[in-house]
Amino acid sequence: MNKWLWIGIIFVVAILFTTTDIFQQDTGQDKETDARSLYQDISMEQYQEKINNKESFVIYVYSPECSHCQEFKPTLNTAIEDNEIEIIALNTNVEENKDEAFFQQIQLQSIPALLHYENGVEFNRAVGTLTEEQLYAFLQDANVITAQ
């Protein structure tokens, strides 16, 4: 009888570990999906080309290690998804994008930042973690989305 009790306990413990492992894997996948980026990364070279070509665009400057950028990411992703818009982005952690002279020239000292360019000239910027309302106002001013 004692032998069967131990076998039953081992069986129950094994089932619990298996079930817990499955739930942890599912949770990890959900976090990965939530963490996806809906903006399109470009290089510093491409960013400067857009300016030199006198293009009109909005660019999101960020670092994946920046806590404020991480906090703002879901808000930006929601705006991109809900309005079916494209936002380009510059990841400042990528080695080729670390151009201190350029950032000093455009006087960008902190991130996250959204910069709106008209014909290659900076027209407006928003720095820091924006609320949804602030983000939508910025995107409306940039004529990326229409008033809701």
Side-chain angles (χ1 to χ4, degrees), residues 62-94:
Y62 75 102
S63 165
E65 295 177 3
C66 161
S67 62
H68 295 288
C69 300
Q70 292 169 4
E71 184 181 335
F72 179 59
K73 184 177 185 177
T75 305
L76 182 58
N77 276 342
T78 299
I80 292 169
E81 192 168 49
D82 289 353
N83 294 283
E84 299 177 353
I85 57 174
E86 289 187 26
I87 299 288
I88 59 172
L90 183 75
N91 179 348
T92 60
N93 273 15
V94 174

Side-chain angles (χ1 to χ4, degrees), residues 8-130:
I9 290 172
I10 291 171
F11 180 73
V12 169
V13 169
I15 294 294
L16 287 175
F17 278 121
T18 304
T19 306
T20 302
D21 187 47
I22 290 169
F23 288 133
Q24 287 175 345
Q25 288 176 356
D26 286 346
T27 301
Q29 290 172 348
D30 289 344
K31 286 181 183 177
E32 184 177 309
T33 301
D34 291 342
R36 72 192 189 289
S37 302
L38 298 181
Y39 40 83
Q40 303 297 314
D41 281 321
I42 65 171
S43 68
M44 176 62 78
E45 183 179 342
Q46 292 169 310
Y47 180 18
Q48 292 175 337
E49 283 176 15
K50 288 183 152 305
I51 293 170
N52 293 338
N53 292 337
K54 300 187 183 322
E55 294 182 35
S56 298
F57 60 96
V58 171
I59 187 164
Y60 172 53
V61 183
Y62 75 102
S63 165
E65 295 177 3
C66 161
S67 62
H68 295 288
C69 300
Q70 292 169 4
E71 184 181 335
F72 179 59
K73 184 177 185 177
T75 305
L76 182 58
N77 276 342
T78 299
I80 292 169
E81 192 168 49
D82 289 353
N83 294 283
E84 299 177 353
I85 57 174
E86 289 187 26
I87 299 288
I88 59 172
L90 183 75
N91 179 348
T92 60
N93 273 15
V94 174
E95 192 61 40
E96 69 182 33
N97 295 341
K98 294 180 180 180
D99 187 341
E100 289 296 321
F102 177 75
F103 290 128
Q104 286 178 356
Q105 177 188 343
I106 66 168
Q107 299 177 353
L108 184 62
Q109 299 169 351
S110 62
I111 54 174
L114 281 168
L115 293 91
H116 169 210
Y117 286 84
E118 285 291 329
N119 302 314
V121 176
E122 185 180 336
F123 187 74
N124 194 11
R125 77 170 55 183
V127 179
T129 305
L130 304 179

Side-chain angles (χ1 to χ4, degrees), residues 1-13:
M1 177 79 171
N2 197 13
K3 177 181 173 183
W4 289 110
L5 179 62
W6 282 108
I7 291 173
I9 290 172
I10 291 171
F11 180 73
V12 169
V13 169

